[in-house]
Amino acid sequence: MLLRPPRLPRLSPRRLRSDSPMASTLALLRPSAPSPATNLRAPFRSRVSTRVSVGSAVAAGADTLFADYKPTTAFLFPGQGAQAVGMGKEALNVRAAAELFDKANDILGYDLLNLCIDGPKEKLNSTVISQPAIYVTSLAAVEVLRAREEGQSVINSVDVTCGLSLGEYTALAFAGAFSFEDGLKLVKLRGEAMQDASDAANSAMVSVIGLDSEKVQQLCDAANEDVDEKERVQIANFLCPGNYAVSGGVKGIEAVEAKAKSFKARMTVRLAVAGAFHTSFMQPAVSRLESALAATEIRSPRIPVISNVDAQPHSDPETIKKILAQQVTSPVHWETTVTTLLGRGLEKSYELGPGKVIAGIIKRINKGASIENIGA
């Protein structure tokens, strides 16, 4: 059990209890040098539900508000697989960050910070826990940054944001499309719905390392020739050159693993996830998400948020709702997102949240790209 430093006087109605990752081949991409966390100063109160959650009031019915965006500084938020026991420790030193976990406890009904810091690993890795945990820890990282000298200036400079799968919800919260609380409720339901969809089918995911996307598609086609339609596979995550995640029925995944060497893949690694995310296997989760999104107030984001579904920013709230519902059954186009941002002039990126998976992916796409990690 980690010995924690004394808590600052709390402002929320509940105390953070003192008793209070999913394995992924993305870990292969983590850079070795962590960013130092220095010059922390605790702000009086959390500003995630005010500064982060106040969206633009500009009408965006045509969904073209950000069509000509020119990015310079980006906030990037991680997805499921980035979680690790011990994350969230820095939130104890920044009151605004700690308060987010306190608010999360009320919504989730359990001590999230305790699970993040102390585990157990198996529980933290579950879909229903890891998704809320990463969402809250990533927004807590925003508060950790804000508490640093010049941190607010960095936050003010951000003119585009996006997140990997689950991280898209975090990005939308940061951009003010919905409040911290509403975003957490959506993420909680998303994790539960995806877990239920996974339990209903025998499916899996595998990362294919060392091939380009065209070769991985050919590998999927070859595997699909050997299995029934219900076992078929597809590319689910277009991450970066040489790393693409494939989802589908277990027999289809096994066929991919068996044939990978003949396609000159360096290796395959089965992902420790609940099921075939970002494929039609997640279709049972869509209707639940649609209902929850329909009941959620979503505003036009104050800055562009790049969608996983089509690698484009959207400003119309109704379009954003449709995109988020589609996201769980659609491939994640992260490689296109990053190359587009860099091509449009992106100069500096910050990865906010647990791990350094995104930093590794960015460097695989462009070794010269500038990115810094801000943990919590």
Side-chain angles (χ1 to χ4, degrees):
M1 181 77 70
L2 179 72
L3 294 177
R4 304 179 190 169
R7 308 281 175 92
L8 292 168
R10 62 170 200 83
L11 298 179
S12 53
R14 294 182 49 176
R15 289 184 60 86
L16 295 173
R17 289 184 2 221
S18 60
D19 65 343
S20 45
M22 201 167 286
S24 168
T25 56
L26 299 183
L28 297 171
L29 303 175
R30 293 174 181 165
S32 59
S35 301
T38 58
N39 297 324
L40 294 182
R41 49 185 176 84
F44 182 70
R45 60 189 298 273
S46 170
R47 284 168 277 190
V48 167
S49 61
T50 55
R51 295 194 184 187
V52 172
S53 66
V54 177
S56 170
V58 177
D63 200 40
T64 58
L65 183 62
F66 303 123
D68 298 320
Y69 76 102
K70 294 178 173 58
T72 60
T73 305
F75 271 8
L76 310 177
F77 295 99
Q80 190 173 347
Q83 75 277 357
V85 172
M87 70 185 197
K89 286 185 290 186
E90 287 194 53
L92 294 170
N93 301 317
V94 177
R95 186 175 305 175
E99 284 182 337
L100 294 183
F101 282 96
D102 221 9
K103 291 178 181 179
N105 294 347
D106 292 330
I107 293 170
L108 300 173
Y110 55 84
D111 190 332
L112 180 64
L113 184 58
N114 183 66
L115 280 172
C116 288
I117 293 177
D118 298 324
K121 176 182 176 180
E122 294 73 22
K123 191 169 184 178
L124 181 61
N125 284 350
S126 68
T127 298
V128 296
I129 300 293
S130 63
Q131 293 199 19
I134 293 167
Y135 172 86
V136 176
T137 304
S138 296
L139 289 174
V142 176
E143 299 303 329
V144 168
L145 174 61
R146 198 193 306 277
R148 294 182 182 181
E149 186 176 353
E150 303 300 326
Q152 186 63 57
S153 296
V154 172
I155 293 170
N156 292 344
S157 73
V158 175
D159 52 18
V160 69
T161 183
C162 54
L164 184 59
S165 188
L166 157 72
E168 187 170 338
Y169 285 77
T170 320
L172 285 163
F174 172 75
F178 42 67
S179 69
F180 166 80
E181 293 86 351
D182 284 346
L184 180 56
K185 291 173 185 176
L186 288 172
V187 167
K188 177 179 182 291
L189 181 139
R190 181 182 188 266
E192 293 167 351
M194 291 175 72
Q195 181 65 58
D196 290 345
S198 298
D199 292 342
N202 195 20
S203 61
M205 294 184 71
V206 64
S207 277
V208 180
I209 309 298
L211 298 180
D212 61 28
S213 59
E214 183 178 351
K215 279 289 187 181
V216 176
Q217 184 58 57
Q218 292 174 6
L219 173 58
C220 290
D221 292 341
N224 287 337
E225 292 178 359
D226 293 349
V227 298
D228 295 337
E229 184 174 357
K230 66 179 181 179
E231 298 283 349
R232 288 183 179 176
V233 297
Q234 69 179 66
I235 301 176
N237 290 340
F238 291 83
L239 295 172
C240 63
N243 193 332
Y244 301 95
V246 173
S247 287
V250 169
K251 290 183 179 178
I253 294 297
E254 290 172 347
V256 168
E257 293 168 331
K259 295 175 181 291
K261 287 295 184 183
S262 66
F263 280 80
K264 309 300 182 185
R266 183 161 66 87
M267 63 189 299
T268 61
V269 180
R270 186 76 69 95
L271 302 184
V273 295
F277 296 166
H278 299 291
T279 69
S280 60
F281 281 86
M282 293 294 107
Q283 189 62 42
V286 172
S287 60
R288 291 171 65 181
L289 270 172
E290 287 176 335
S291 296
L293 287 162
T296 302
E297 180 184 0
I298 294 185
R299 295 164 58 88
S300 178
R302 57 184 173 80
I303 58 174
V305 179
I306 311 304
S307 166
N308 286 185
V309 172
D310 58 8
Q312 297 293 326
H314 297 279
S315 54
D316 174 48
E318 292 306 312
T319 301
I320 292 170
K321 291 181 180 184
K322 292 177 183 177
I323 287 286
L324 288 177
Q326 294 171 13
Q327 192 218 51
V328 292
T329 58
S330 301
V332 173
H333 292 285
W334 189 253
E335 184 178 0
T336 300
T337 295
V338 173
T339 55
T340 299
L341 288 173
L342 293 172
R344 282 177 171 259
L346 184 68
E347 299 171 1
K348 175 73 175 181
S349 297
Y350 295 84
E351 177 180 9
L352 293 102
K356 297 177 178 64
V357 168
I358 288 178
I361 293 174
I362 299 294
K363 290 295 187 180
R364 285 290 296 270
I365 294 173
N366 186 326
K367 291 182 180 179
S370 175
I371 183 165
E372 178 180 348
N373 177 266
I374 308 293

